[in-house]
Amino acid sequence: MLRALWRSIDRFSVQNFQYVINELRKINVVDKSNRELVMDLLQSVVEIVMYGDRQDPQIFECFMERQVLADFVHILKISEDSKIEAPLLQYLSIMIQNMDSEHAIYYCFSNGYINNIISHPFKFDGGDLASYYVSFLRAISCKINRHTLCLLVDIQGDAIVSFPLYTGALRFAQHEEKMIQTAIRALVLNIYNVSDDKVYQFISTPPVSKYFSDLICRLKDLCFRLDAVVYDKEKMDTQKRRNGIILESEKIADELYYFKDILNVGEPRLTRLVMENLLNGLVFPLLRSFMASKNINGSDLSAITSLYIISRLLQVVGGRSTINNVACVLLYHILNFNVKSPSEGNTFDFHYDIVTFSKRLNEVENVISSAPESNGSQSINGTYLGAHWEGFMSSITICSPNGEICSERSGIFAFLFCKDQSLLLASIFLLLILIESKDLDCDLSLMSKLPEMGDEMTNGTTSKTVDGSIFIKFMPEILKALLNVLAFQQPLSTMMLWHAGWCLQKLLVFHKMELDSDNLLLFTTSYDQSRVKFMKELEGVWLDHIPDTLITELASCKRVLEQPSQYKDPLFLLELVLHQQPTNGQRASYFAWQRMVDVVKAFVLHIQLRTLIFEGVLLEKPLLNMISSSTNDSGVIRTSKISSASFGSNVSLESGLPCGIAFSNSEIRDIYVIPVASGITGKLLLAEKHPFRSRHGVVIAIAPLAGLCPKIDEKHSSWLHVGIREFDPQFYSMKGREKHASMGDDWADGRWTLGFPNARACEEAQLAILNEMGKQRSALQYMLAPLLEDDFGLPQN
């Protein structure tokens, strides 16, 4: 009756609005008996207010005069049924989201009603209330600006003492539901982007500022979870570990991008707060831990995980402060390295005293403090470095893998010469990120270019090229270490070889260096090894797929080698520790396919590096001989027609060999075997005699010529066994191959057994098949001949 009465009036009229408000104010308590009525009243209020905001100013004037938001607060206080809270918050969220006029928003945020609702003691008992509450907070944050934000804070004197929207949101900052976390972070960023000095002061003052240290704690927890997955060798198989690594690394990336979003706000105090927490809470402890090789009690992250996290942080967060602080720690041994005097063989004219590291450190700190992201604030962590440097560095004792103390090979360079190839590549990758960064201070750009005679020393400060020459002294050894990764390819994965090739290409191109004689010999040996393995695959099961694979992988390798370090996903650093299942000795066509692709990848990498070393460029496409389809041999023309035959085609039986075969449990069928090769393609056709054309047959089965491996049965000399490739690579991309790395057991190869009239006929059939396979192989060798020449890639006189 009551609902029908107010709905009988013009729903969106001031009269009806007055009526709904009066009915709402008659409610003294909210319980199960009247909960539905109250929900209808609240819904009507919101609908009418939204209409009035856009269509009827009198309605909104009534909304303000009668202070209807106070009724929402009142309903919360008198409610004995918590089920009213979620819809009330939902209705308010919808109303605020749909308000267009700034006047309406200004009123809603006035008088403290919104703050009262935010501060209401809701009982979040694990239901849906939390999501409705967070949606309500986010709806408010989307409507705030510099003029309305002041309405949501409580100010005493010149300082904010209460900001319910912000502190209420932080209660859910670590919520287990991803959607709530995302909403809170969007809300927080909305606040940061419109805050004034007082709000920033509130945000950066304890206990509210603890939010940033909590973020770091969460990030550190994720880092340890990632490390646990990387080195969990007993509980999970390789594929599950890889999936776990990807999942945990994505979570870490999300955290880093959130820090980046906060820094992009551009407020100096906010930037300083974030950077201090990042550097002091995460970066410096990581650097100190892995550079000191102190993980005795298992409380620290592994070196490889630390290198991954720092690399990812530099890529995502970046910034002059981050780059130079990390570089300063990693390269401090080089910065403090004594430069040889002219009498000791140095060709540079040093007419000054070498500055001490403390002076260099002060210069670096000045650069850091003047970074754009810290403009207007105190030095970001410069104080930390200056005050704690001696204790920080004295705690680090760099040891080589055999336990001996390193002298020149200290700091990050200790990992460049260790036996662990994963750490070698990870260290080089981190250094490449630093030296390719435009934010790296010139005083720390130790590897930016080779020393040139025109470089001078100014103002009593060591030129960057002098320090660079110290690094250049190590370059042949670093290149040798990378070449050893290429030369001793087993049991490394092909992708590790590509990553090593990427590092090698970067160093060669960046420094415009040539390999010395020893390293050139090492590379030549590695190249020859890869070529031998490649040539062996020309006799393998998948030889007919080698040209297409070669073309595809050459283009892919070029893209990989040219990828900037800033955009190269460092996830490969973690995947390097995963042991690839060996495929050597596996005869299934699936494993043979894997092996062929890996061999082609390795050979393609060596081709690209060889052309780079000797010609200074990377190949766009492979140099292949074209196989002409024109011929005057009518027999070859017939062969070409047969080679294009498909299931059900009519083919000539002139070259067919009669035999018998039984498929599954069926009876023996009289058929003809027709092996045929045309260029690099080849097929084995099984055809039954045509019922009306005596010299023709109908194709009933087809098998690829490659991989047949025809063998005569030891006990039955008239039986010929041929292997059939069951795996079809067209259904599996290379990415799919990684995903289905354990599916080899599902691809058991097939076999046909052909029965011939006698042993001689069986031998003739075997020779016919082998002859066609030889033609196919010869065509492939002709096509690939330019790539296999001894002087391929060498400069022509």
Side-chain angles (χ1 to χ4, degrees):
M1 289 282 297
L2 191 60
R3 293 183 210 176
L5 181 61
W6 87 63
R7 294 187 187 276
S8 65
I9 309 173
D10 183 6
R11 187 175 183 187
F12 297 107
S13 64
V14 175
Q15 181 185 5
N16 186 46
F17 190 39
Q18 294 272 16
Y19 177 80
V20 172
I21 296 172
N22 292 335
E23 291 298 317
L24 188 63
R25 291 180 175 177
K26 292 178 182 179
I27 306 296
N28 296 317
V29 64
V30 180
D31 53 25
K32 292 182 180 180
S33 63
N34 63 355
R35 182 179 63 205
E36 294 297 327
L37 171 64
V38 174
M39 289 171 59
D40 280 348
L41 289 169
L42 293 175
Q43 181 179 353
S44 296
V45 168
V46 169
E47 290 174 350
I48 296 172
V49 170
M50 288 166 51
Y51 173 83
D53 180 47
R54 298 180 181 182
Q55 304 291 335
D56 190 346
Q58 292 184 350
I59 291 178
F60 202 83
E61 287 179 6
C62 178
F63 173 72
M64 293 186 293
E65 289 175 0
R66 302 200 61 178
Q67 299 188 19
V68 179
L69 278 178
D71 296 312
F72 282 78
V73 177
H74 179 68
I75 292 296
L76 282 176
K77 291 180 178 180
I78 65 174
S79 177
E80 295 179 355
D81 189 346
S82 60
K83 291 184 178 181
I84 195 66
E85 296 173 344
L88 183 146
L89 292 173
Q90 183 183 27
Y91 296 149
L92 282 175
S93 300
I94 294 172
M95 184 181 72
I96 294 172
Q97 288 171 358
N98 287 277
M99 283 185 172
D100 292 333
S101 70
E102 205 170 309
H103 178 65
I105 295 170
Y106 192 90
Y107 167 74
C108 284
F109 291 175
S110 301
N111 303 317
Y113 297 130
I114 292 294
N115 278 346
N116 288 335
I117 296 173
I118 294 174
S119 303
H120 181 76
F122 294 101
K123 294 181 180 180
F124 303 102
D125 54 1
D128 294 335
L129 184 59
S131 60
Y132 286 107
Y133 182 77
V134 170
S135 296
F136 170 62
L137 298 184
R138 186 174 181 182
I140 297 170
S141 73
C142 290
K143 296 296 183 178
I144 60 175
N145 55 40
R146 291 186 181 275
H147 303 294
T148 57
L149 184 63
C150 61
L151 303 175
L152 299 175
V153 299
D154 183 12
I155 301 177
Q156 292 183 6
D158 292 331
I160 294 176
V161 295
S162 174
F163 189 3
L165 176 63
Y166 185 69
T167 54
L170 295 190
R171 294 171 57 190
F172 299 89
Q174 306 297 334
H175 199 276
E176 57 186 12
E177 289 188 23
K178 182 66 177 178
M179 292 183 63
I180 290 181
Q181 281 187 32
T182 302
I184 291 300
R185 293 186 174 187
L187 180 157
V188 168
L189 290 173
N190 288 340
I191 292 175
Y192 292 164
N193 278 295
V194 299
S195 294
D196 56 18
D197 290 342
K198 289 186 175 64
V199 176
Y200 283 127
Q201 183 64 36
F202 176 80
I203 291 170
S204 58
T205 303
V208 181
S209 61
K210 185 177 179 293
Y211 172 59
F212 298 96
S213 59
D214 289 342
L215 287 175
I216 296 298
C217 289
R218 171 180 167 79
L219 180 55
K220 289 171 69 175
D221 288 342
L222 291 174
C223 294
F224 278 102
R225 287 169 57 180
L226 173 63
D227 197 51
V229 176
V230 171
Y231 285 97
D232 186 358
K233 299 180 180 179
E234 298 179 358
K235 297 180 180 179
M236 291 186 286
D237 59 31
T238 300
Q239 188 57 42
K240 286 184 178 179
R241 284 174 63 202
R242 180 177 284 110
N243 293 339
I245 287 173
I246 293 173
L247 178 62
E248 296 301 329
S249 62
E250 287 176 348
K251 293 178 182 178
I252 291 174
D254 288 343
E255 298 297 314
L256 294 177
Y257 277 111
Y258 180 51
F259 281 114
K260 181 65 174 178
D261 289 338
I262 297 176
L263 292 173
N264 284 340
V265 173
E267 208 287 323
R269 282 166 294 187
L270 196 59
T271 298
R272 181 174 183 271
L273 188 59
V274 171
M275 291 307 304
E276 281 188 345
N277 279 278
L278 264 178
L279 293 172
N280 295 344
L282 181 69
V283 175
F284 288 136
L286 282 180
L287 292 172
R288 178 173 182 172
S289 173
F290 91 86
M291 290 181 66
S293 300
K294 293 180 178 179
N295 194 15
I296 300 175
N297 58 4
S299 60
D300 297 325
L301 292 176
S302 64
I304 194 71
T305 303
S306 298
L307 285 166
Y308 164 78
I309 293 167
I310 295 172
S311 299
R312 201 75 178 107
L313 182 139
L314 293 181
Q315 287 181 325
V316 175
V317 178
R320 201 172 182 187
S321 172
T322 310
I323 293 290
N324 286 287
N325 269 290
V326 171
C328 193
V329 175
L330 290 178
L331 306 173
Y332 81 99
H333 287 93
I334 299 299
L335 291 174
N336 201 31
F337 203 79
N338 290 328
V339 182
K340 292 188 294 183
S341 64
S343 62
E344 293 176 305
N346 197 335
T347 58
F348 293 95
D349 181 19
F350 297 137
H351 53 81
Y352 57 88
D353 294 329
I354 302 299
V355 295
T356 62
F357 176 69
S358 59
K359 183 176 181 181
R360 181 74 58 83
L361 179 60
N362 290 332
E363 295 169 358
V364 173
E365 288 184 353
N366 290 334
V367 171
I368 295 171
S369 63
S370 63
E373 63 260 33
S374 61
N375 188 25
S377 65
Q378 299 178 14
S379 171
I380 300 177
N381 226 76
T383 305
Y384 178 93
L385 281 174
H388 300 86
W389 186 264
E390 183 176 355
F392 182 85
M393 287 305 172
S394 64
S395 66
I396 297 180
T397 303
I398 302 295
C399 298
S400 62
N402 59 11
E404 297 177 356
I405 301 298
C406 298
S407 54
E408 295 179 355
R409 298 177 180 180
S410 298
I412 189 67
F413 287 87
F415 294 97
L416 296 177
F417 302 102
C418 67
K419 295 180 181 180
D420 189 327
Q421 293 166 332
S422 298
L423 287 176
L424 164 68
L425 297 181
S427 302
I428 293 177
F429 179 74
L430 178 55
L431 286 176
L432 286 171
I433 292 176
L434 288 173
I435 64 178
E436 288 188 346
S437 172
K438 66 182 184 300
D439 293 316
L440 185 63
D441 173 47
C442 64
D443 200 45
L444 289 169
S445 299
L446 306 178
M447 298 169 285
S448 60
K449 62 177 181 177
L450 290 171
E452 298 176 1
M453 295 305 295
D455 292 326
E456 299 178 353
M457 320 304 166
T458 58
N459 300 326
T461 304
T462 308
S463 167
K464 67 178 179 181
T465 56
V466 175
D467 287 333
S469 66
I470 297 173
F471 176 77
I472 295 303
K473 184 179 71 170
F474 293 136
M475 184 59 71
E477 294 183 73
I478 296 174
L479 295 176
K480 182 179 179 180
L482 287 172
L483 290 170
N484 276 323
V485 175
L486 297 179
F488 302 101
Q489 300 173 15
Q490 298 297 334
L492 303 180
S493 69
T494 304
M495 292 314 298
M496 177 179 270
L497 299 181
W498 276 29
H499 295 311
W502 178 85
C503 292
L504 182 64
Q505 184 265 352
K506 283 291 179 184
L507 293 176
L508 290 175
V509 171
F510 202 73
H511 294 283
K512 300 178 181 179
M513 290 190 64
E514 296 181 356
L515 297 180
D516 59 26
S517 57
D518 291 337
N519 283 334
L520 188 58
L521 177 61
L522 185 57
F523 174 76
T524 302
T525 302
S526 178
Y527 175 84
D528 290 340
Q529 291 175 353
S530 68
R531 186 175 65 168
V532 168
K533 292 181 179 180
F534 178 76
M535 294 178 67
K536 186 177 180 181
E537 287 299 319
L538 302 186
E539 301 178 359
V541 175
W542 293 97
L543 64 91
D544 50 335
H545 283 255
I546 287 179
D548 288 341
T549 305
L550 183 72
I551 294 172
T552 300
E553 296 301 337
L554 190 82
S556 178
C557 184
K558 183 175 185 294
R559 288 194 300 270
V560 169
L561 293 179
E562 292 179 335
Q563 189 175 26
S565 60
Q566 180 63 29
Y567 301 106
K568 185 176 178 66
D569 191 344
L571 185 65
F572 79 90
L573 302 179
L574 304 178
E575 293 184 329
L576 293 177
V577 303
L578 300 178
H579 298 287
Q580 188 180 43
Q581 295 179 351
T583 60
N584 292 335
Q586 301 275 9
R587 298 187 60 185
S589 59
Y590 170 75
F591 293 107
W593 167 264
Q594 279 189 308
R595 185 179 62 250
M596 183 275 288
V597 173
D598 288 343
V599 168
V600 171
K601 279 178 170 284
F603 183 56
V604 157
L605 173 64
H606 284 81
I607 288 175
Q608 292 286 23
L609 291 177
R610 196 180 201 199
T611 56
L612 175 68
I613 291 170
F614 293 108
E615 298 182 12
V617 295
L618 296 174
L619 278 182
E620 293 285 346
K621 57 180 65 176
L623 302 176
L624 303 176
N625 285 330
M626 298 301 296
I627 298 178
S628 176
S629 60
S630 63
T631 177
N632 295 322
D633 187 350
S634 60
V636 176
I637 294 176
R638 288 195 299 271
T639 298
S640 178
K641 291 182 179 179
I642 294 175
S643 67
S644 62
S646 59
F647 183 80
S649 299
N650 291 330
V651 295
S652 172
L653 297 179
E654 291 182 7
S655 59
L657 303 170
C659 65
I661 190 172
F663 294 106
S664 301
N665 296 324
S666 63
E667 297 180 353
I668 296 177
R669 302 168 66 175
D670 294 327
I671 62 169
Y672 287 81
V673 174
I674 309 173
V676 57
S678 177
I680 63 171
T681 62
K683 298 177 181 179
L684 181 69
L685 306 179
L686 302 186
E688 281 187 319
K689 203 168 189 178
H690 198 284
F692 306 113
R693 303 175 65 184
S694 59
R695 302 181 65 179
H696 288 77
V698 178
V699 177
I700 62 171
I702 304 175
L705 199 61
L708 288 180
C709 301
K711 292 182 180 180
I712 298 175
D713 190 90
E714 295 179 357
K715 295 181 179 181
H716 304 86
S717 58
S718 62
W719 290 7
L720 183 66
H721 302 295
V722 292
I724 309 299
R725 299 185 319 209
E726 295 290 346
F727 173 69
D728 189 349
Q730 292 182 351
F731 292 103
Y732 295 89
S733 64
M734 296 309 300
K735 189 174 182 180
R737 180 172 69 89
E738 294 293 332
K739 182 178 180 181
H740 301 282
S742 61
M743 71 182 183
D745 295 337
D746 299 331
W747 291 98
D749 288 333
R751 187 180 73 167
W752 290 348
T753 299
L754 308 174
F756 292 87
N758 51 56
R760 182 174 181 179
C762 186
E763 291 177 359
E764 289 177 353
Q766 183 187 38
L767 290 175
I769 293 174
L770 292 174
N771 182 53
E772 294 300 313
M773 292 176 68
K775 292 179 182 179
Q776 183 184 26
R777 189 179 304 110
S778 297
L780 179 61
Q781 290 171 345
Y782 172 75
M783 176 183 284
L784 299 176
L787 288 177
L788 300 176
E789 294 176 355
D790 292 337
D791 61 349
F792 174 79
L794 299 179
Q796 302 297 320
N797 295 329

